[in-house]
Amino acid sequence: MIKAILARIRWNGLSELHQRRHTSRSAAMFNAIQQRFPHLKHPEQIQLKHIRWLKDVWLVQQAYADATQTDYKRTLALLISALEGDRHWQKALKIEKNSSKGGRPEKCRTIRTRRCQ
């Protein structure tokens, strides 16, 4: 399941180290989702409630340091984009980006595809 999601991400010059870190964090998150919700077999089956459980329950249970939790939330935002979760997901999870702040442009992007119906 994770290979299909990672195939939608374009790293655009992101260092190999950061790519591996995002990949390992996303693998840990998808493993947690699959253990908690074993009926999910395809990425298209992941819904907002599964991501909300991941952020609100699993991430808290891991008791990571604040910086590590921030890294996981950054990876989660990338995965939501790869899952084609819309702005509604980002608002519901309170991880939307404020475009008025400015800052560096993002290096990783996701490919938009048509979801299977």
Side-chain angles (χ1 to χ4, degrees):
M1 177 162 64
I2 192 159
K3 286 183 182 182
I5 298 298
L6 293 177
R8 297 179 189 168
I9 298 174
R10 293 293 175 250
W11 300 108
N12 294 337
L14 192 67
S15 73
E16 192 71 30
L17 175 66
H18 284 90
Q19 288 179 31
R20 283 194 315 265
R21 287 180 178 171
H22 275 296
T23 303
S24 66
R25 286 191 295 259
S26 57
M29 289 189 279
F30 277 113
N31 287 337
I33 287 175
Q34 284 184 323
Q35 287 177 358
R36 175 70 170 96
F37 306 101
H39 63 280
L40 297 177
K41 302 295 181 198
H42 304 286
E44 292 81 17
Q45 294 175 311
I46 296 175
Q47 298 175 2
L48 175 60
K49 63 183 177 183
H50 304 121
I51 301 296
R52 181 175 282 146
W53 170 84
L54 188 71
K55 181 182 173 274
D56 294 342
V57 178
W58 180 80
L59 196 56
V60 172
Q61 288 176 347
Q62 301 306 308
Y64 290 130
D66 290 339
T68 306
Q69 285 189 11
T70 302
D71 291 339
Y72 269 90
K73 288 176 185 175
R74 196 172 294 130
T75 300
L76 187 62
L78 182 63
L79 291 177
I80 288 171
S81 179
L83 287 169
E84 298 181 9
D86 57 3
R87 289 190 179 268
H88 168 71
W89 283 28
Q90 293 176 349
K91 281 184 181 180
L93 295 168
K94 296 178 183 156
I95 58 171
E96 66 181 328
K97 295 184 178 186
N98 188 351
S99 60
S100 65
K101 281 187 175 179
R104 296 182 188 171
E106 294 180 358
K107 287 193 176 187
C108 346
R109 302 273 182 193
T110 56
I111 299 171
R112 293 287 173 184
T113 60
R114 206 176 270 183
R115 286 184 87 150
C116 298
Q117 300 284 337

